[in-house]
């Protein structure tokens, strides 16, 4: 049996991935990035609220070092992380509501 073409394999992979995304959406399952975003917000806002500036600075240094080791620019990493710390330290949730998660799957189809 001949091997499938790259286009055929890629097409099948796209279908599998779409089914997985649809199932995750239907189950309202958060992704890795959703959890990481909320965890980062929680960590930064708690460190800021408790006045643990030294711990927050050490945390930032470690994160920037790890990003630099991956190949990201050190200064740019510092800028982005500083902006997040400033934003998350102000209080309130900085995330958009996931309106599509508020309704049942049947209600989504009606709109």
């Amino acid at each position: 049996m001949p091997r499938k073409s790259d286009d055929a394999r890629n097409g099948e992979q796209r279908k599998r991935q779409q089914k997985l995304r649809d199932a995750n959406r239907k189950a309202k399952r958060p992704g890795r990035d959703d959890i990481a975003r909320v965890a980062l917000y929680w960590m930064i806002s708690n460190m800021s609220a408790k006045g643990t500036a030294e711990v927050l600075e050490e945390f930032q240094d470690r994160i920037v070092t790890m990003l630099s080791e991956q190949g990201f620019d050190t200064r740019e990493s510092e800028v982005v992380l500083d902006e997040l710390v400033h934003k998350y330290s102000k209080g309130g949730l900085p995330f958009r509501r996931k309106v599509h998660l508020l309704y049942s799957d049947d209600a989504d189809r009606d709109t």
Side-chain angles (χ1 to χ4, degrees):
M1 175 182 232
R3 183 177 173 183
K4 294 181 181 176
S5 72
D6 287 344
D7 288 342
R9 283 195 318 277
N10 290 341
E12 290 172 2
Q13 178 66 18
R14 273 192 294 280
K15 289 178 187 175
R16 282 193 302 273
Q17 289 295 321
Q18 188 60 52
K19 284 175 77 172
L20 181 62
R21 284 191 299 272
D22 291 345
N24 286 343
R25 188 176 303 114
K26 185 175 182 177
K28 298 182 180 182
R29 180 183 174 145
R32 175 188 64 195
D33 290 345
D34 298 308
I35 292 171
R37 189 177 310 111
V38 171
L40 181 63
Y41 166 76
W42 182 82
M43 290 173 61
I44 290 173
S45 61
N46 276 336
M47 284 185 233
S48 296
K50 293 180 181 177
T52 54
E54 295 148 6
V55 176
L56 183 55
E57 283 182 36
E58 182 180 343
F59 171 76
Q60 287 180 265
D61 290 343
R62 287 185 184 202
I63 297 298
V64 168
T65 297
M66 293 172 75
L67 289 168
S68 298
E69 289 172 352
Q70 290 181 36
F72 290 100
D73 181 78
T74 301
R75 182 66 194 128
E76 292 299 322
S77 297
E78 289 171 347
V79 168
V80 171
L81 189 52
D82 284 344
E83 289 171 354
L84 283 174
V85 168
H86 177 73
K87 180 178 181 179
Y88 292 176
S89 297
K90 290 192 301 186
L93 288 175
F95 309 115
R96 291 182 180 163
R97 288 181 48 196
K98 305 287 186 179
V99 178
H100 65 280
L101 298 175
L102 300 176
Y103 304 103
S104 70
D105 212 23
D106 294 334
D108 288 342
R109 288 189 198 126
D110 292 340
T111 58

